Amino acid sequence: MSPRSGPRRRRPAARRTARAPGGEWGGILVGGVVVVGVLRWLAAHPWVLVVCGLVLATGGAGWVHRRREAARWERVRERGLRYAMPQIDALHHRQFEDAVRDLMRRDGCARADRVGGAGDNGADVKATDPFGRLWVIQCKHRRAGADGAAVGTPDLHVLNGTGRPVHHGDVVVLVTNGRFTANAVDFARSQRLHLVDRNLLAAWAAGSTPLWELLGGLPSPRRPSLGS
C-alpha cells in the first residue's frame, strides 16, 4: 500500500425511512370506529332512516308519474294530430320529416322513426304498420308548395334503388307537399312506387284515415291487424 494512501472510507449506508408500527392497521381501525359510530347513531335515531326512505320513495314515485303522464299526453297528441297545408308549407324540411313520422304513428304504427340525414340512402322515415309491412318513405319538402319545383324521376331513381334492395321495404313511398312530373308518375307506376302529392297529403294530414287506406295497390299484409 502506498504511504500516501490512507484507509478506504466506507460510504454511509442509505437511511431507511422508518415506518410507524401498525400504520396500515391503524387506518383500518379508525375507519371501523367511524362506521360503528355512524351505525350506533342511526340506531339511536331511527327516524332518520324513515325520513330518507320516504324522500326516496316520493321522488321515485314522482318520476314514474311524470313519465307516465308524458307518455299518455303523447298518445293523446298523436291520436288527434292534424296538419293544415299552410302549416306544412311553413315547416323546415327536417320538421316535415318529423310530421310524416308523427302521422304514421297517429295511424297506428307502433314503430315509426325519422332516419333521414347524411348517408340515409334515400330513406327519411321508416315505419311498421299494424299489418307488419315496413314502410320506407322519402320526403321532399317545397317551401313554395305547389308552385315549387316538381319532383322528377332522379329522386325516384334513388328511392327505387334503395327502398327494397337496401332498406327491405314492403311499401316504398315518396311524399311531397308539392307536385310530381308526368315522367315521375309513369316511372313510379312501372316500379311499384307510391306517390303522395300535395292533394293526397292534404287529405291524409288533415283527416284521420290511415295512409294505407288512401293508397291503392299495396302488398298483402304480413300479419292480421291487431284490431281484427
Side-chain angles (χ1 to χ4, degrees):
M1 182 180 296
S2 172
R4 294 183 180 180
S5 60
R8 295 181 179 177
R9 296 181 180 180
R10 294 182 179 179
R11 295 181 180 178
R15 295 182 180 179
R16 295 181 179 178
T17 303
R19 295 182 179 178
E24 296 179 358
W25 286 105
I28 295 175
L29 290 175
V30 170
V33 169
V34 172
V35 171
V36 171
V38 170
L39 293 177
R40 287 179 177 176
W41 185 86
L42 289 174
H45 303 81
W47 58 269
V48 174
L49 293 176
V50 175
V51 171
C52 291
L54 289 175
V55 169
L56 291 175
T58 302
W63 180 81
V64 171
H65 176 72
R66 289 191 295 272
R67 289 291 300 270
R68 287 178 177 174
E69 282 296 297
R72 184 174 71 86
W73 282 111
E74 180 64 17
R75 290 193 296 270
V76 171
R77 185 190 70 82
E78 289 174 357
R79 284 197 297 267
L81 184 64
R82 301 288 188 276
Y83 285 104
M85 288 312 298
Q87 289 177 285
I88 290 179
D89 292 339
L91 295 176
H92 182 270
H93 69 91
R94 292 294 186 201
Q95 295 173 321
F96 181 54
E97 296 170 6
D98 288 337
V100 171
R101 175 203 61 196
D102 292 344
L103 287 169
M104 295 298 289
R105 289 179 179 175
R106 183 204 68 184
D107 287 353
C109 295
R111 294 195 59 182
D113 302 294
R114 180 171 70 83
V115 296
D120 59 20
N121 289 321
D124 295 315
V125 174
K126 288 184 179 181
T128 303
D129 67 21
F131 305 96
R133 296 172 298 205
L134 175 62
W135 290 62
V136 176
I137 305 173
Q138 187 179 103
C139 304
K140 291 297 178 183
H141 186 264
R142 297 291 187 256
R143 296 287 293 181
D147 295 329
V151 179
T153 54
D155 291 313
L156 290 176
H157 288 160
V158 174
L159 181 61
N160 191 46
T162 61
R164 295 185 182 92
V166 176
H167 300 292
H168 309 292
D170 298 303
V171 185
V172 184
V173 186
L174 199 152
V175 179
T176 182
N177 64 324
R179 53 196 174 87
F180 294 97
T181 64
N183 288 338
V185 173
D186 292 339
F187 179 80
R189 186 179 297 113
S190 69
Q191 300 299 314
R192 295 182 296 115
L193 302 176
H194 298 275
L195 303 182
V196 178
D197 62 7
R198 184 176 183 83
N199 294 330
L200 186 55
L201 176 60
W204 178 39
S208 57
T209 303
L211 184 57
W212 44 86
E213 293 184 13
L214 297 173
L215 293 174
L218 297 182
S220 300
R222 287 179 175 268
R223 62 170 179 262
S225 173
L226 297 178
S228 62

